[in-house]
């Protein structure tokens, strides 16, 4: 099972925001308590942080999907939902965050650096927060927005000042063990080192880190051996030390050819822009170490090839990791290169950029918050509205609530979407899409929907602008009047038919005539006392 992982694909998802609450306060002797729905809590974010607790990306190799907690929903009595806690993921120092396309998003090179991998969703507002003088008791609330989700590539690049490079079994692990307290695995077979090893070395007042990179072979920059996988750990180093085995018994190998092969592989490797410096590896300070001079044949070979290497402008050191010969001089030479690199870095950081002078009264133009793209669907025009705000408002809207849909129309009108559609040549009834193809809402555009909230006089949860009002014509009014007149005539005829059949003793007209005659015979009688 793998114990060291320096590249993983992380699927990070922020928490979903909680929904707002629709509630009206109901209390004795307070019939008009007003809206008291609370807001939903924000979802948690996924944060990558360097805290010094991890040295590998192995955890995310086994668990690549990381999701932050979601926010709680709002409740009545102005009870707001709790926010989801941020999910903090510990990453090693030197982690580079890239997008799926290879774009460098962050370089977490120092302890305490952090990067928001996926932002949590916004919680929805309750109806109490949506109340206004023109909308005193909203019958809707905003929904919580889902958190962002994206795939990230995490690459670990060792933070070291000096890199030890060379063929397998050249003695790099033995050298780092002899110069520091590191105890890497050492054996007498090739590719013993399968992971980069780090060791801290002190030379005088300079303290620096040495990285033991797994062995390189010819063709490492093209993928042979382990070189291409671990060459990224050399990118941040200020100096490179070639460790050459002078006691090798392999045919067709000698110190000069070994040095040239490794130099060729370093020259072919392209430094990633995320490294601390863009200087090619072959152009950085080099030291050459002729190792294993405790062997008599190796010392003779080292004395033979040393003049040729020095003629190329290289500093050469003869050492023995077994007897510790030459290690002190080598450590101070490394410290000198590291100290000079640090001085140069401080000088570059000290250069302050020139201030930008702007004329008085200068103001930046407000960035356009949305764009409208004209498309065609079935040979008919279609207008697609794209923008952070419109797309978020779509996610916040409950389309089962007419009042919420009317509120969305007001927000879009205030943002200027209606004016922009007019400029694009949109006509009433044209299809308008808000959002991209995967998460979008389509509707038929009606400019009358883009009116103010002063028309919202309908009951809670409804919108008068969404009701289909059909005004009858004069012909329809005449037809309705005639139908009601015919219905009354039919009712009278039915009553007369029942009277003639013996169900009634007298007709309605006879009863009226009888009462009129009785009132004429007694003109002085009080009409209130008559039965």
């Amino acid at each position: 099972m793998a114990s060291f992982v320096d590249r993983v694909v992380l699927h990070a998802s922020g928490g979903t925001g909680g929904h707002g609450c629709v509630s009206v306060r109901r209390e004795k002797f307070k019939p008009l308590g007003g809206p008291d729905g609370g807001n939903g809590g924000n979802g948690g974010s996924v944060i990558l942080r360097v805290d010094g607790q991890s040295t590998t990306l192995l955890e995310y190799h086994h668990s690549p999907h990381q999701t932050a907690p979601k926010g709680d929903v709002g409740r009545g009595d102005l009870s707001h939902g709790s926010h989801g806690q941020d999910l903090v993921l510990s990453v090693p120092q030197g982690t580079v965050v890239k997008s799926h396309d290879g774009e460098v998003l962050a370089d977490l090179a120092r302890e305490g650096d952090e990067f928001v991998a996926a932002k949590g969703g916004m919680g929805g507002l309750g109806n109490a927060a949506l109340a206004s003088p023109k909308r005193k008791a909203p019958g809707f609330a905003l929904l919580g927005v889902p958190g962002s989700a994206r795939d990230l590539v995490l690459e670990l690049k060792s933070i070291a000042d000096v890199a030890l490079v060379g063929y397998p079994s050249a003695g790099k692990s033995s050298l780092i063990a002899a110069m520091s307290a590191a105890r890497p695995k050492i054996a007498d077979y090739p590719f013993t080192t399968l992971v980069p090893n780090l060791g801290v070395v002190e030379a005088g007042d300079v303290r620096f880190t040495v990285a033991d990179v797994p062995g390189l072979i010819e063709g490492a920059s093209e993928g042979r051996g382990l070189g291409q996988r671990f060459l990224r750990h050399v990118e941040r180093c200020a100096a490179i030390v070639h460790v050459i085995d002078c006691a090798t018994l392999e045919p067709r190998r000698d110190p000069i050819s070994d040095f040239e092969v490794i130099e060729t592989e370093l020259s072919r490797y392209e430094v990633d822009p995320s490294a601390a410096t863009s200087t090619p590896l072959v152009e950085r300070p080099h030291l050459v170490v002729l190792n294993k001079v405790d062997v008599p044949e190796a010392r003779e070979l080292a004395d033979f090839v040393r003049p040729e290497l020095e003629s190329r402008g290289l500093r050469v050191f003869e050492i023995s990791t077994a007897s510790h010969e030459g290690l002190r001089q080598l450590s101070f030479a490394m410290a000198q290169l590291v100290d000079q690199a640090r001085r140069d870095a401080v000088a570059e950081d000290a250069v302050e950029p020139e201030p930008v002078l702007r004329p008085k009264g200068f103001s930046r133009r407000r960035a356009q918050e949305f764009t409208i793209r004209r498309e065609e669907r079935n040979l008919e025009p279609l207008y697609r509205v794209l923008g952070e705000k419109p797309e978020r408002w779509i996610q916040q809207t409950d389309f089962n609530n007419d009042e919420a849909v009317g509120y969305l129309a007001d927000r879009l009108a205030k943002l200027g979407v209606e004016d922009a559609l007019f400029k694009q040549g949109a006509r009433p009834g044209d299809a308008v899409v808000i959002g991209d193809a995967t998460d979008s809402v389509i509707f038929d555009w009606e400019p009358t929907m883009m009116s103010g909230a002063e028309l919202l006089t309908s009951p809670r949860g409804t919108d008068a602008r969404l009701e289909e009002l059909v005004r009858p014509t004069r012909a329809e009014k005449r037809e309705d009047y005639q139908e009601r007149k015919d219905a009354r005539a039919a009712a009278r005829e039915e009553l007369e038919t029942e009277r003639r059949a013996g169900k009634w003793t007298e007709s309605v007209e006879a009863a009226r005539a009888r009462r009129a005659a009785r009132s004429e015979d007694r003109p002085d009688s009080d009409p209130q006392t008559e039965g």
Side-chain angles (χ1 to χ4, degrees), residues 225-488:
L226 301 177
Q228 188 183 32
R229 177 182 175 187
F230 292 109
L231 270 174
R232 69 170 67 98
H233 296 276
V234 187
E235 292 182 352
R236 301 180 185 273
C237 299
I240 296 177
V241 176
H242 287 263
V243 181
I244 300 177
D245 183 7
C246 291
T248 181
L249 300 178
E250 296 183 16
R252 294 179 298 179
R253 278 190 57 188
D254 59 82
I256 301 298
S257 63
D258 288 358
F259 173 79
E260 291 177 349
V261 167
I262 300 301
E263 279 285 276
T264 301
E265 298 304 320
L266 294 180
S267 63
R268 292 177 179 175
Y269 182 78
E270 296 183 2
V271 179
D272 193 272
S274 61
T277 176
S278 58
T279 305
L281 299 181
V282 293
E283 297 181 8
R284 300 184 189 183
H286 282 54
L287 297 178
V288 177
V289 172
L290 303 177
N291 193 17
K292 302 181 182 180
V293 294
D294 55 303
V295 180
E297 293 81 359
R299 184 179 294 275
E300 293 179 1
L301 182 59
D303 294 338
F304 178 74
V305 300
R306 179 169 185 167
E308 183 175 352
L309 293 173
E310 290 180 343
S311 64
R312 302 184 181 187
L314 299 171
R315 296 182 62 184
V316 182
F317 296 86
E318 299 179 6
I319 67 167
S320 170
T321 56
S323 62
H324 288 203
E325 178 184 348
L327 296 186
R328 179 177 175 82
Q329 294 83 349
L330 176 61
S331 63
F332 276 92
M334 292 180 180
Q336 182 180 3
L337 297 179
V338 172
D339 183 62
Q340 183 61 38
R342 291 176 179 174
R343 293 176 183 272
D344 295 341
V346 172
E348 292 180 2
D349 295 340
V351 178
E352 298 181 357
E354 297 181 0
V356 178
L357 301 179
R358 304 187 185 278
K360 188 175 182 181
F362 176 83
S363 61
R364 294 182 178 272
R365 296 183 60 184
R366 183 180 178 183
Q368 189 175 5
E369 297 177 333
F370 66 93
T371 58
I372 297 180
R373 186 174 64 212
R374 180 186 171 93
E375 303 175 0
E376 285 191 3
R377 186 189 62 173
N378 299 330
L379 300 179
E380 294 183 356
L382 182 143
Y383 299 88
R384 188 177 299 276
V385 181
L386 300 175
E388 189 269 336
K389 280 189 176 182
E391 295 180 21
R392 186 181 75 240
W393 293 347
I394 287 294
Q395 296 175 334
Q396 292 178 323
T397 302
D398 180 10
F399 288 94
N400 295 323
N401 189 304
D402 289 346
E403 189 176 356
V405 176
Y407 180 72
L408 171 64
D410 294 337
R411 300 176 85 180
L412 294 175
K414 187 179 295 184
L415 189 63
V417 175
E418 179 184 2
D419 297 337
L421 287 173
F422 273 120
K423 293 180 180 179
Q424 291 280 351
R427 297 180 179 180
D430 288 346
V432 175
V433 180
I434 299 180
D436 54 12
T438 58
D439 185 12
S440 60
V441 174
I442 184 171
F443 59 93
D444 294 334
W445 181 53
E446 294 293 341
T448 55
M449 275 298 301
M450 302 296 187
S451 56
E454 64 273 5
L455 297 180
L456 297 176
T457 58
S458 53
R460 289 195 304 271
T462 62
D463 193 308
R465 296 169 294 176
L466 298 177
E467 298 178 0
E468 186 176 359
L469 300 178
V470 180
R471 181 172 298 177
T473 62
R474 290 185 178 181
E476 292 174 345
K477 289 181 179 180
R478 291 195 198 98
E479 184 179 355
D480 181 63
Y481 173 74
Q482 189 64 35
E483 289 178 356
R484 288 188 278 111
K485 185 178 178 180
D486 295 342
R488 287 195 296 267

